[in-house]
């Protein structure tokens, strides 16, 4: 049998364990998995591009477990009443190939993206960081705010989105999260005095949400929204004067902000910092950029955590996802089994 987790089950798991413990366990899982980078079979994701968006498959495996996620990115979807990003995915047993987990990953994508941002910021932002600018108040944005508050104590936010309704929703959803939130008229205003700047906009073009002169020395930029060829948020000058950190360079060079730079521009992979092989931030005045595009390892981490928590809480449903003939060589016989059962009854 396979454990099935709907979006409803994922909400129940998070509500029962509470945001605080969920964020901490997720960041721990990510840290453990990034630290054992060499134990994974790694590959850039497969992306199918169309004029309106992208559909991607993101596989990964260690010696015991295989995982994959299906995810899209369609920035014009909200105008149709649909989400920009939806996702589902699975874990399977490497020894037998049988599926272990099938889950909605729409919420999990938002959770793991924010938790990865926090893991990176813990290593790259100045430790005393308290104020974060958030540019973009869409579906992912509150997850970032909640994770940064819970794990890093970032409790002052400066929010900008051209859609006032999205900003109202952002403020409403975070009302009981102990945050001081200032609404800003534009992105340049939002970044004033921020220790960390999170860009999390959706637009299928090379946008310049942050230009070189908008970001001061010592700021950490958490660039999340630019994650496809031709879809970026930072100016080239800003990247050139920053130290850039990525998840998996072969994928990020195609999809991330660094698609604007030379193919051999030096970058550091996050796992190298997590594993202590390379330094993170070296000086208080350094400008750091986490060029996040989302990597399969993060989906693996969140799926293994959800599976663990579902087991602990008895959440989800056991489903017969794949055919299971009693004689493994008699698959054909299953087709007649129902008729045979009826005849015997
Ligand atoms: N790096 C990752 O791992 C990862 C994971 C999930 C989503 N994403 C990306 O994050 C982005 C946000 O996703 P979402 O689900 O929140 O999308 P969304 O469509 O729900 O929200 C995007 C928001 O950005 C705002 N926006 C657009 N242009 C802007 C601008 N110039 N300045 C300020 N705000 C602007 C829109 O008004 C909207 O409210 C998408 O581009 C998505 O592809 C990245």
């Amino acid at each position: 049998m396979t454990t099935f987790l709907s979006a409803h089950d994922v909400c129940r798991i998070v509500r029962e364990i509470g945001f605080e413990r969920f964020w901490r366990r997720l960041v721990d899982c990510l840290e453990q998995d990034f630290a054992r980078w060499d134990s994974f079979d790694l590959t850039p994701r497969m992306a199918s591009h169309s004029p309106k968006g992208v559909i991607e498959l993101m596989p990964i495996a260690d010696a015991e477990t295989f995982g994959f996620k299906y995810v899209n990115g369609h920035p014009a979807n909200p105008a149709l009443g649909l989400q920009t990003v939806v996702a589902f995915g699975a874990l399977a047993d490497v020894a037998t190939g049988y599926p272990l987990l099938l889950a909605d990953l729409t919420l999990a994508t938002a959770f793991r993206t924010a938790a990865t941002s926090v893991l990176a910021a813990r290593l790259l932002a100045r430790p005393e960081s308290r104020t974060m600018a958030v540019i973009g108040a869409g579906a992912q944005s509150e997850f970032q705010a909640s994770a940064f508050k819970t794990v890093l104590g970032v409790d002052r936010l400066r929010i900008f989105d051209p859609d006032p309704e999205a900003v109202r929703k952002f403020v409403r959803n975070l009302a009981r999260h102990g945050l001081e939130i200032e609404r800003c008229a534009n992105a340049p205003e939002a970044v004033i005095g921020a220790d960390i700047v999170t860009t999390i906009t959706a637009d299928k073009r090379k946008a310049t949400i942050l230009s070189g002169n908008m970001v001061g020395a010592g700021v950490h930029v958490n660039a999340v929204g630019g994650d496809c060829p031709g879809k970026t948020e930072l100016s080239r000058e800003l990247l050139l004067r920053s130290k850039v950190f990525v998840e998996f360079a072969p994928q990020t060079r195609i999809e991330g902000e660094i698609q604007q730079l030379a193919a051999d521009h030096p970058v550091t992979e996050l796992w190298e910092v997590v594993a202590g092989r390379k330094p993170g931030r070296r000086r208080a005045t350094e400008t750091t950029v986490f060029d996040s595009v989302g990597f399969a390892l993060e989906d693996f981490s969140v799926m293994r955590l959800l599976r663990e928590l579902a087991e602990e809480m008895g959440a989800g449903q056991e489903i017969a996802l794949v055919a299971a003939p009693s004689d493994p060589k008699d698959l054909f016989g299953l087709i007649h089994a129902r008729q045979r059962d009826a005849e015997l009854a």
Side-chain angles (χ1 to χ4, degrees):
M1 298 294 270
T2 305
T3 305
F4 171 67
L5 295 179
S6 65
H8 174 78
D9 297 319
V10 174
C11 291
R12 184 193 140 193
I13 288 172
V14 176
R15 266 198 312 268
E16 266 184 38
I17 186 175
F19 271 107
E20 168 105 28
R21 282 173 62 210
F22 186 74
W23 283 126
R24 291 192 192 283
R25 273 183 76 166
L26 181 52
V27 173
D28 286 350
C29 283
L30 283 161
E31 189 170 32
Q32 287 158 12
D33 290 340
F34 271 104
R36 63 183 184 98
W37 186 257
D38 291 337
S39 64
F40 287 100
D41 217 350
L42 306 167
T43 176
R45 61 187 160 199
M46 178 263 170
S48 171
H49 296 278
S50 59
K52 293 269 172 69
V54 64
I55 295 178
E56 297 162 332
L57 279 183
M58 305 171 69
I60 190 163
D62 66 8
E64 281 89 44
T65 314
F66 174 93
F68 79 88
K69 178 169 86 172
Y70 167 106
V71 65
N72 76 315
H74 285 71
N77 268 3
L80 308 172
L82 300 171
Q83 298 167 95
T84 297
V85 176
V86 294
F88 64 89
L91 291 178
D93 177 25
V94 165
T96 62
Y98 270 50
L100 302 166
L101 176 82
L102 175 70
D104 166 73
L105 295 183
T106 309
L107 285 148
T109 293
F111 276 116
R112 67 69 150 148
T113 303
T116 306
S117 288
V118 160
L119 177 64
R122 194 159 70 184
L123 299 159
L124 304 177
R126 282 177 291 110
E128 68 276 18
S129 297
R130 291 274 307 279
T131 304
M132 177 160 81
V134 179
I135 322 284
Q140 312 290 317
S141 60
E142 297 97 333
F143 292 84
Q144 292 278 335
S146 169
F148 273 82
K149 162 71 171 61
T150 306
V151 185
L152 298 180
V154 173
D155 56 3
R156 292 194 290 252
L157 301 181
R158 300 177 61 76
I159 178 76
F160 167 66
D161 192 301
D163 174 4
E165 196 42 56
V167 174
R168 274 195 284 280
K169 171 226 51 163
F170 180 89
V171 172
R172 188 175 63 238
N173 278 339
L174 295 171
R176 282 192 294 276
H177 286 250
L179 290 156
E180 199 181 290
I181 304 176
E182 180 138 359
R183 302 171 199 224
C184 299
N186 48 49
E189 186 186 311
V191 303
I192 294 171
D195 305 303
I196 298 170
V197 179
T198 290
T199 54
I200 190 138
T201 66
D203 205 352
K204 205 169 162 29
R205 67 190 177 96
K206 286 196 167 160
T208 306
I209 307 297
L210 295 182
S211 58
N213 59 5
M214 281 166 68
V215 178
V219 169
H220 172 63
V221 178
N222 174 38
V224 183
D227 57 359
C228 266
K231 177 168 174 273
T232 54
E233 294 178 312
L234 310 187
S235 75
R236 194 166 176 275
E237 311 89 85
L238 174 56
L239 293 168
L240 288 173
R241 71 169 180 75
S242 305
K243 184 143 173 56
V244 180
F245 296 81
V246 303
E247 289 140 316
F248 181 50
Q251 183 179 309
T252 313
R253 290 199 190 278
I254 299 167
E255 302 177 348
E257 299 300 327
I258 57 167
Q259 65 186 271
Q260 304 176 67
L261 305 183
D264 59 353
H265 185 86
V267 295
T268 305
E269 289 184 330
L270 182 58
W271 76 270
E272 299 178 284
V273 187
V274 172
R277 302 222 191 150
K278 297 237 174 108
R281 166 175 293 275
R282 289 166 304 182
R283 287 180 304 279
T285 53
E286 194 167 49
T287 305
T288 50
V289 170
F290 176 45
D291 183 1
S292 159
V293 293
F295 184 52
L297 178 108
E298 297 150 29
D299 303 307
F300 184 95
S301 302
V302 74
M303 280 195 278
R304 81 174 170 86
L305 175 62
L306 287 173
R307 185 164 174 251
E308 245 171 69
L309 291 171
E311 211 172 297
E312 281 171 29
M313 295 175 187
Q317 234 180 299
E318 295 303 301
I319 59 166
L321 178 65
V322 294
S326 49
D327 172 357
K329 292 193 179 177
D330 192 10
L331 182 62
F332 196 80
L334 265 190
I335 299 161
H336 299 298
R338 189 176 279 259
Q339 189 185 344
R340 214 170 34 231
D341 288 350
E343 283 165 6
L344 287 174

